[in-house]
Amino acid sequence: MRSAQFLAWCFTALLCPGLLFAQDYPTRSIRLIVPFPAGGPNDSIARVVGQKMSDLLHQPVVIDNRSGAGGVVGTDIVAKAAPDGYTIALTSAGALAIAVSLSEIPVPYDVAKDFKPITLVATVPELLVVASDVPATSVSDLVALAKANPGKLNFASSGAGSMPHLAGELFKISTGIDVVHVPYRGAAPAVNDLLGKQVQMMFADIPVLLAHVQSGALRALAVGSKTRAPTAPDIPTTAELGLPQVEAENWYGMVAPAATPVAIITKLNATVAEALKSPDVKEKLSVLGAVLVGNSSEEFAAYLRTETEKWAKVVKASGAKAN
């Protein structure tokens, strides 16, 4: 009997080595790469989700910030890591879906070939605002103003090639307006100049702008998502305003090296999904304006393909370049 069991185990090990390896996974700490500096939205989401994953897996999930090239540097570390489930990343739309179209120098990885999607963790809609002195109280007002003054309105972004930049370019293409892009090195200086009325409009992640909207310093016109944002339920969506194609959301997804066993991907997917259902995780991430997702690996893979194709068209049509 024992011989038969041993033979069955050997047969399983030959045919499904990843399955046997995954049964005890994880047996040590997991390195969660965040390809941006500490303190930003990607880092904040990773720390909240990583802590809950650690509680559920009974092993430390260690955040490793590896910033550079708009998230490409840290994301590339995972592409080239051992496919054992102990080095994964929570990375961004920029690194996974946009950089491949923007960079004059090719990115050092192929998203479809070098990664195994785990799950889409969260999305953060982009909010369209104008400075308080801009005579526009709606998107239609803004479009009319821009068409009456071609090339005279400026829109700020947190950097060339960033999601706020491409959201602005998508808005330009969809409405046929001529406004000038002014890139900044980060959201803070862009918002400062918007508050100072040096520029007239901007797309940015909701948490970046919401306090200024609530104080009356900036005027919100629309949120770039299919449904209204929980943190800003009074602001209409671009879809409601007749511009469903102007959908722009920053998003953060978890990936592993491509050859990671399916059983490990499945376990990580289930763990993140459970973490995102936790009331304390929901509460902490709602402050960041995050809409929690936690879909399947296959659904995230399909979303990746759609986002990559979408932003490639915007980059080509607008001529957008990275910093």
Side-chain angles (χ1 to χ4, degrees):
M1 183 67 177
R2 289 181 180 177
S3 296
Q5 290 175 335
F6 178 73
L7 288 172
W9 184 92
C10 291
F11 184 71
T12 303
L14 287 171
L15 293 182
C16 308
L19 178 62
L20 293 177
F21 176 73
Q23 286 179 343
D24 295 327
Y25 170 86
T27 58
R28 54 186 172 88
S29 63
I30 297 170
R31 180 189 184 199
L32 180 57
I33 299 285
V34 174
F36 293 95
N42 199 155
D43 177 73
S44 299
I45 292 171
R47 290 181 187 276
V48 172
V49 175
Q51 180 57 60
K52 184 57 65 172
M53 289 176 65
S54 178
D55 295 342
L56 295 170
L57 294 170
H58 308 294
Q59 292 290 345
V61 175
V62 180
I63 306 299
D64 187 359
N65 296 92
R66 295 298 187 96
S67 61
V72 170
V73 171
T75 304
D76 186 47
I77 291 173
V78 176
K80 295 171 174 57
D84 55 10
Y86 290 100
T87 300
I88 58 177
L90 182 62
T91 185
S92 68
L96 290 177
I98 296 174
V100 64
S101 299
L102 274 173
S103 302
E104 293 182 1
I105 301 173
V107 295
Y109 48 76
D110 182 317
V111 174
K113 295 179 180 179
D114 294 335
F115 298 103
K116 183 66 177 176
I118 297 170
T119 187
L120 178 61
V121 174
T123 63
V124 180
E126 298 296 289
L127 182 63
L128 171 61
V129 299
V130 294
S132 59
D133 65 335
V134 174
T137 58
S138 67
V139 167
S140 59
D141 286 349
L142 179 61
V143 171
L145 180 66
K147 287 187 174 180
N149 299 275
K152 294 182 180 180
L153 300 184
N154 299 319
F155 81 93
S157 82
S158 53
S162 64
M163 180 61 76
H165 172 203
L166 294 188
E169 296 292 352
L170 180 59
F171 184 67
K172 284 176 59 178
I173 294 165
S174 301
T175 58
I177 61 174
D178 176 13
V179 292
V180 180
H181 176 227
V182 181
Y184 290 80
R185 292 196 174 276
V191 173
N192 285 340
D193 270 12
L194 186 63
L195 292 169
K197 304 178 178 63
Q198 304 303 307
V199 290
Q200 288 72 50
M201 56 186 282
M202 180 182 186
F203 276 92
D205 290 12
I206 283 182
V208 173
L209 300 169
L210 192 56
H212 300 298
V213 170
Q214 292 169 338
S215 73
L218 298 175
R219 188 180 307 119
L221 301 185
V223 60
S225 57
K226 286 188 176 72
T227 58
R228 295 198 179 197
T231 52
D234 296 331
I235 302 172
T237 67
T238 47
E240 290 176 62
L241 299 175
L243 293 169
Q245 69 275 33
V246 185
E247 184 180 341
E249 297 179 312
N250 238 331
W251 52 262
Y252 304 95
M254 196 171 287
V255 295
T260 304
V262 172
I264 289 179
I265 297 296
T266 300
K267 187 164 189 177
L268 287 168
N269 177 277
T271 301
V272 176
E274 186 174 350
L276 294 178
K277 293 175 184 176
S278 170
D280 60 321
V281 168
K282 289 181 179 179
E283 181 180 356
K284 290 173 181 175
L285 294 187
S286 67
V287 176
L288 302 175
V291 178
L292 307 188
V293 183
N295 57 4
S296 70
S297 174
E298 294 76 17
E299 288 169 331
F300 184 28
Y303 181 77
L304 262 175
R305 289 191 294 271
T306 300
E307 284 285 284
T308 301
E309 292 169 2
K310 169 184 174 177
W311 294 115
K313 292 176 182 177
V314 174
V315 169
K316 183 177 180 180
S318 66
K321 303 285 185 185
N323 281 323

